[in-house]
Amino acid sequence: MTTQDVSIPVENSDDIIQNLQAQLAEKMFDLFDSVVIERRSYFAENPDKVPNEGSVDSIINSYSTKNASVSGALGLVPGPWGMVAVIPELLIVIRNQLAMIYDIGRAQGKSKVLTKELLAGIFVTAMGASAGSLLVLHGNKVLVKRVTLRVFQQIVSLLAGRVTQQALKSAISKWLPIVGAAAMATWSRWMTQQTGKKAKEIFSKDIEVSENPVEEDIKPIDVTATTIPTSTVAQADVIGKSGVDMAKIQTLINLMRVDGTVKPEEREYIKTILRNANLTSNEIAEIRQTLSVDKKFSVDYSAIEASPDDAIGLLVDLITLAKRDGTFHITEKMYIKQVGRLLGFSDSDIEETIVAIA
């Protein structure tokens, strides 16, 4: 199979991604209200099921496992077309994440302020983006802005774009048979866990909902605005998607060689990923040439550090490759932990991800 066999023409790719965003936005719009209504009704009919503060961690684990099961069942085909085909499953994952946020709010005694705006604000914040249009944080207090229908539509549209970015920028290995399902499951579990942790953090504060709806146009959701230095963002823009995938593949090749033995399964794994990566023909030729040479790459992780989605994707890819040959060597684990720390993951996050990938 050649690179052309699995790639989408550049002129069509943007249209497909925009179509995916539009479909997601249309279907996501009613999710927020429906989740609030459904969960409120459920707890009203089942008061004995109302969670308490001590159950928050189990709520997060339960929904994370549920979403991993949903994503693990996906049969993806390479590229944006594959994501368009699994919109129903993506919506299930999002609905579960919103229900989890609601349940955590109930567990932490915030039932009176559980509005669609609060759910959306936490959802946005969990993605690493600014939720200034919905949430205003003052020390230990959170002001939830009520917004008009038009403004909420804008927010959902931008959220759909952010979800699309996350899905497309996750693990390269998500496109691979069998292991791709494990990669998607792990990515979904991790993202749900991060959403739960952010919800737990916000619900620990005093929350107040504004009385009057706000009618103001919002700025595009910017994942970099409040969390990443401008210089790093600029560098990431220059490197681009090709540079991100190049860094990922260089890291994977380093891992492949770290135990001193390159197995046929590992070599085939790299070749398959090459066919699905966003690399130029020259970059692919360079990588293939180095596969036959005992050389360790010096990897620039700056672009990946600037993108949490790419970071967790690389971590998943590394673990998937290490377990590909059936033997998880100690040197491979040490290398994965080293890279994981460079990308900002804690040892516990890395261990959880290792365990999650069968």
Side-chain angles (χ1 to χ4, degrees):
M1 183 184 294
T2 64
T3 304
Q4 286 74 19
D5 291 329
V6 295
S7 62
I8 294 175
V10 174
E11 62 269 23
N12 294 331
S13 181
D14 287 344
D15 291 340
I16 295 169
I17 293 172
Q18 289 178 7
N19 177 264
L20 171 57
Q21 292 178 5
Q23 289 190 48
L24 271 178
E26 179 182 356
K27 297 179 184 301
M28 282 176 62
F29 182 73
D30 292 329
L31 277 184
F32 297 88
D33 271 328
S34 65
V35 166
V36 171
I37 293 170
E38 187 273 328
R39 298 310 291 166
R40 181 186 297 150
S41 175
Y42 173 79
F43 289 125
E45 295 172 3
N46 302 276
D48 58 315
K49 301 291 186 181
V50 175
N52 55 46
E53 192 165 2
S55 63
V56 170
D57 289 342
S58 65
I59 291 172
I60 295 173
N61 289 334
S62 175
Y63 277 104
S64 297
T65 300
K66 187 181 298 185
N67 276 349
S69 298
V70 172
S71 298
L74 301 183
L76 291 174
V77 296
W81 274 123
M83 301 310 300
V84 172
V86 297
I87 284 177
E89 286 79 7
L90 280 176
L91 289 168
I92 292 173
V93 169
I94 294 169
R95 173 181 280 276
N96 286 340
Q97 289 174 336
L98 295 177
M100 175 186 65
I101 293 172
Y102 187 97
D103 290 2
I104 293 172
R106 286 300 299 258
Q108 294 186 242
K110 298 299 194 295
S111 60
K112 294 182 179 180
V113 295
L114 287 171
T115 64
K116 66 179 181 181
E117 288 90 350
L118 179 54
L119 265 63
I122 293 174
F123 194 64
V124 170
T125 306
M127 291 181 170
S130 171
S133 299
L134 291 170
L135 306 181
V136 179
L137 277 65
H138 292 295
N140 198 44
K141 292 185 178 181
V142 178
L143 174 64
V144 183
K145 296 181 183 178
R146 292 179 58 206
V147 296
T148 63
L149 180 64
R150 183 182 67 84
V151 173
F152 197 74
Q153 286 175 328
Q154 291 180 340
I155 291 169
V156 171
S157 178
L158 293 172
L159 265 174
R162 185 72 186 106
V163 170
T164 301
Q165 290 176 25
Q166 283 190 333
L168 290 175
K169 289 169 63 179
S170 58
I172 300 176
S173 57
K174 67 176 175 285
W175 307 125
L176 304 182
I178 303 176
V179 297
M184 281 300 290
T186 304
W187 172 77
S188 182
R189 181 196 302 273
W190 189 86
M191 294 304 299
T192 303
Q193 287 174 339
Q194 301 314 302
T195 301
K197 290 176 182 177
K198 180 56 65 175
K200 180 179 179 180
E201 175 190 336
I202 291 177
F203 282 126
S204 69
K205 303 177 183 294
D206 295 329
I207 299 176
E208 178 183 342
V209 180
S210 64
E211 295 183 3
N212 300 316
V214 176
E215 177 70 43
E216 61 180 19
D217 288 329
I218 61 173
K219 297 178 181 179
I221 294 174
D222 183 3
V223 69
T224 64
T226 59
T227 58
I228 301 169
T230 303
S231 59
T232 303
V233 176
Q235 188 174 10
D237 289 340
V238 171
I239 294 174
K241 182 60 178 172
S242 173
V244 168
D245 276 4
M246 187 69 167
K248 286 183 177 181
I249 292 172
Q250 288 174 336
T251 305
L252 291 168
I253 292 175
N254 285 348
L255 172 68
M256 186 174 66
R257 292 177 169 146
V258 76
D259 63 354
T261 304
V262 179
K263 302 287 183 61
E265 297 89 347
E266 294 173 326
R267 192 178 296 275
E268 284 304 312
Y269 179 94
I270 293 294
K271 289 181 179 179
T272 305
I273 283 181
L274 278 174
R275 291 195 292 266
N276 294 287
N278 290 289
L279 299 178
T280 66
S281 57
N282 288 338
E283 287 171 332
I284 292 175
E286 178 186 344
I287 290 291
R288 284 178 172 162
Q289 184 177 6
T290 59
L291 285 175
S292 59
V293 180
D294 187 13
K295 173 186 176 183
K296 183 177 180 180
F297 288 102
S298 177
V299 185
D300 179 3
Y301 291 110
S302 56
I304 299 177
E305 286 181 276
S307 170
D309 308 328
D310 285 313
I312 183 60
L314 176 55
L315 185 62
V316 169
D317 286 329
L318 286 168
I319 298 168
T320 303
L321 174 59
K323 295 188 175 185
R324 181 71 167 164
D325 61 359
T327 303
F328 195 11
H329 200 277
I330 184 62
T331 55
E332 294 174 324
K333 188 172 185 178
M334 291 172 62
Y335 181 74
I336 290 171
K337 285 191 172 184
Q338 176 187 352
V339 174
R341 293 186 192 110
L342 289 173
L343 297 176
F345 294 105
S346 66
D347 284 349
S348 61
D349 284 338
I350 298 169
E351 285 290 350
E352 286 179 10
T353 308
I354 289 173
V355 172
I357 299 180

